[in-house]
């Protein structure tokens, strides 16, 4: 395996010779969120000259781009007479180009200047394919269709993949990637990502694959490093969604969204939800119910760390978002999706690639994340009124 590190500016123009002498590299790609990485190397003058604000770091592995994106901390430098000797040491923290998209919020009227936005206006896209919704939101907020000041340099939409199912989007002043993730989850569980092609950063969607029969991880196969697994009762099986009360009106829209299978297996658990819309004409209340149901009706929490082997390798045999099988040590088999893929390399010891397979909150506290997610959505609904 060969690894090359290049620095580019925001037009993707290479700024100098490849970075050499690095001692440690980490680069983790993540499903539907920005990746993260770091590299440590000697602080030679020709290296420091390239580590400037606004520049990007590109990790090339075996001739293909593993990850590329903005340097969030271009230079974390250290030197001391008793420690690091000349020229000192510098650590660069970087992300992938999806971090650029993450810096934006959804404007209710993206074609207008900020000063002319209207306070009660929403950006609403009704009953449309999830890929179309995601591409539209990204294009009009930071892509070629955005107002000039908001356009990401060298950024364009990738080819249409033709993936996803119909859903509805209602948003304003919300983090752009939060809106994209909602559409992706409710519209068929699709993925989205950026990739560098020539001198362009392309944003597009894709359909994760069901590889449960071919991508398998277990102790016996030698590709399972660690696993935590917990199955508990659902916190909601029936989302009872209410439309907004209108002053002077005696009617109010109510919609029930249920996970009947979970209720049959366990028991019925109801939750009242303020849907944030007057009615369900455009499925806004249904989508709100499905979002809360997804938070509370999935009782399986799985966090797994796997490692590449010659027979099963990330990027070749499976990728981010793909559904794979994990055989637990006591015999039970569970399936879940690939959440992140982490490359670690050191010149003296070689490289390793590990993956995290698990539920949405595989690497964090599930109860806390679900609670924060519900609170955030409800605050957004209140704010949007």
């Amino acid at each position: 395996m060969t690894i090359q590190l290049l620095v580019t500016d925001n037009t993707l123009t290479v700024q100098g010779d490849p970075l050499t002498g690095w001692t440690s590299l980490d680069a983790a790609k993540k499903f539907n969120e920005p990746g993260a990485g770091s590299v440590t190397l000697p602080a030679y003058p020709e290296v420091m000259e390239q580590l400037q604000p606004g520049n990007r770091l590109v990790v090339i592995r075996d001739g293909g781009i593993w990850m590329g994106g903005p340097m969030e901390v271009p230079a974390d430098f250290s030197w001391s007479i008793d420690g690091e000797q000349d020229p000192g040491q510098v650590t660069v923290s970087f992300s992938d180009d999806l971090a650029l998209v993450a810096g934006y919020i959804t404007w209710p009227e993206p074609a207008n200047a900020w000063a002319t936005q209207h306070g009660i206006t929403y950006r609403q896209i009704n009953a449309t394919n999830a890929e179309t919704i995601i591409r539209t939101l990204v294009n009009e907020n930071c892509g070629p269709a955005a107002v000039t000041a908001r356009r990401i340099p060298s950024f364009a939409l990738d080819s249409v993949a033709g993936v996803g199912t119909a859903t509805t989007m209602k948003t304003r002043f919300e983090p752009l990637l939060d809106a994209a993730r909602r559409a992706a989850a409710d519209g068929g569980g699709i993925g989205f990502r950026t990739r560098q092609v020539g001198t362009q950063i392309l944003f597009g969607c894709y359909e994760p694959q069901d590889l449960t029969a071919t991508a398998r991880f277990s102790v016996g196969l030698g590709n399972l490093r660690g696993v935590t697994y917990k199955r508990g009762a659902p916190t909601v099986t029936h989302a009872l969604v209410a439309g907004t009360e209108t002053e002077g009106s005696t009617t109010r829209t109510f919609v029930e969204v249920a996970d009947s299978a979970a209720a049959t297996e366990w028991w019925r658990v109801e939750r009242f939800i303020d849907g944030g819309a007057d009615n369900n004409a455009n499925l806004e209340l249904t989508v709100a119910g499905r979002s809360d149901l997804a938070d509370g009706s999935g009782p399986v929490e799985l966090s797994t760390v796997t490692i590449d082997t010659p027979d099963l390798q990330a990027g070749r045999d499976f990728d981010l978002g793909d559904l794979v099988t994990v055989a637990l040590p006591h015999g039970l088999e569970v399936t879940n999706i690939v959440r992140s893929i982490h490359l670690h390399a050191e010149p003296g010891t070689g490289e390793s690639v590990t993956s995290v397979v698990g539920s949405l909150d595989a690497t964090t506290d599930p109860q806390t994340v679900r609670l924060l997610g519900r609170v955030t959505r409800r605050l957004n609904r209140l704010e949007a009124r």
Side-chain angles (χ1 to χ4, degrees):
M1 300 291 181
T2 59
I3 293 176
Q4 186 180 55
L5 305 180
L6 296 177
V7 175
T8 78
D9 62 13
N10 62 9
T11 68
L12 279 63
T13 301
V14 176
Q15 296 300 286
D17 293 331
L19 303 182
T20 60
W22 53 272
T23 55
S24 179
L25 169 68
D26 288 280
K29 302 184 290 186
K30 301 180 181 180
F31 181 58
N32 288 359
E33 60 178 306
S38 66
V39 60
T40 300
L41 65 165
Y44 298 120
E46 61 271 22
V47 169
M48 300 301 292
E49 186 177 354
Q50 296 187 54
L51 305 183
Q52 300 299 321
N55 283 352
R56 302 167 63 252
L57 185 69
V58 182
V59 179
I60 299 174
R61 182 176 183 242
D62 292 338
I65 296 177
W66 174 268
M67 192 167 82
M71 296 187 292
E72 296 180 326
V73 181
D76 184 355
F77 173 77
S78 63
W79 175 91
S80 72
I81 194 170
D82 298 319
E84 299 295 337
Q85 300 300 303
D86 291 337
Q89 175 179 279
V90 62
T91 298
V92 180
S93 298
F94 60 98
S95 184
D96 64 25
D97 290 310
L98 203 56
L100 301 174
V101 181
Y104 289 78
I105 64 172
T106 57
W107 287 17
E109 298 168 296
N112 296 347
W114 177 251
T116 60
Q117 301 291 308
H118 291 87
I120 59 173
T121 305
Y122 299 89
R123 181 62 177 106
Q124 187 160 333
I125 308 174
N126 299 324
T128 305
N129 173 272
E131 179 184 14
T132 300
I133 291 175
I134 295 169
R135 288 170 61 91
T136 298
L137 290 176
V138 170
N139 189 31
E140 66 190 18
N141 282 286
C142 62
V147 295
T148 303
R150 303 185 75 202
R151 295 174 189 168
I152 297 174
S154 307
F155 186 86
L157 295 182
D158 209 335
S159 301
V160 174
V163 299
T165 58
T167 185
T168 292
M169 174 58 59
K170 185 175 183 180
T171 180
R172 73 185 188 109
F173 309 142
E174 177 183 10
L176 178 54
L177 281 191
D178 284 359
R181 277 189 287 266
R182 282 197 291 119
D186 195 63
I190 64 175
F192 54 82
R193 59 192 170 197
T194 55
R195 62 190 185 105
Q196 180 180 331
V197 178
T199 57
Q200 281 192 311
I201 300 167
L202 299 181
F203 174 92
C205 299
Y206 67 98
E207 183 77 59
Q209 302 179 74
D210 184 344
L211 301 177
T212 50
T214 57
R216 299 174 59 83
F217 301 91
S218 70
V219 174
L221 292 173
N223 55 14
L224 184 61
R225 279 193 163 183
V227 60
T228 60
Y229 172 79
K230 180 171 70 174
R231 190 177 189 207
T235 58
V236 57
T237 64
H238 290 69
L240 306 178
V241 190
T244 304
E245 289 184 291
T246 304
E247 187 174 353
S249 174
T250 58
T251 61
R252 188 178 187 185
T253 302
F254 295 93
V255 172
E256 179 178 318
V257 184
D259 184 343
S260 300
T264 299
E265 185 178 15
W266 296 85
W267 49 78
R268 182 182 177 106
V269 184
E270 298 179 343
R271 178 184 294 154
F272 174 81
I273 298 165
D274 183 349
D278 294 337
N279 55 59
N280 201 39
N282 296 307
L283 300 181
E284 297 103 317
L285 302 184
T286 299
V287 171
R290 288 197 297 236
S291 296
D292 271 66
L293 201 64
D295 286 339
S297 63
V300 174
E301 295 167 10
L302 173 70
S303 178
T304 303
V305 178
T306 71
I307 187 168
D308 270 10
T309 65
D311 295 328
L312 189 62
Q313 296 184 12
R316 186 192 71 182
D317 304 306
F318 65 91
D319 216 325
L320 293 171
D322 289 343
L323 189 66
V324 300
T325 298
V326 178
L328 303 182
H330 51 68
L332 179 66
E333 290 190 352
V334 294
T335 62
N336 221 302
I337 72 171
V338 180
R339 291 288 170 186
S340 67
I341 301 174
H342 179 193
L343 167 67
H344 175 75
E346 296 180 12
T349 58
E351 66 176 56
S352 64
V353 176
T354 58
S355 302
V356 173
V357 178
S359 46
L360 181 60
D361 314 316
T363 58
T364 56
D365 178 66
Q367 296 297 331
T368 301
V369 171
R370 280 200 291 267
L371 176 61
L372 289 175
R374 289 198 297 269
V375 170
T376 299
R377 278 196 300 277
R378 290 169 184 173
L379 287 175
N380 285 341
R381 290 173 196 152
L382 290 172
E383 182 185 69
R385 292 181 181 178

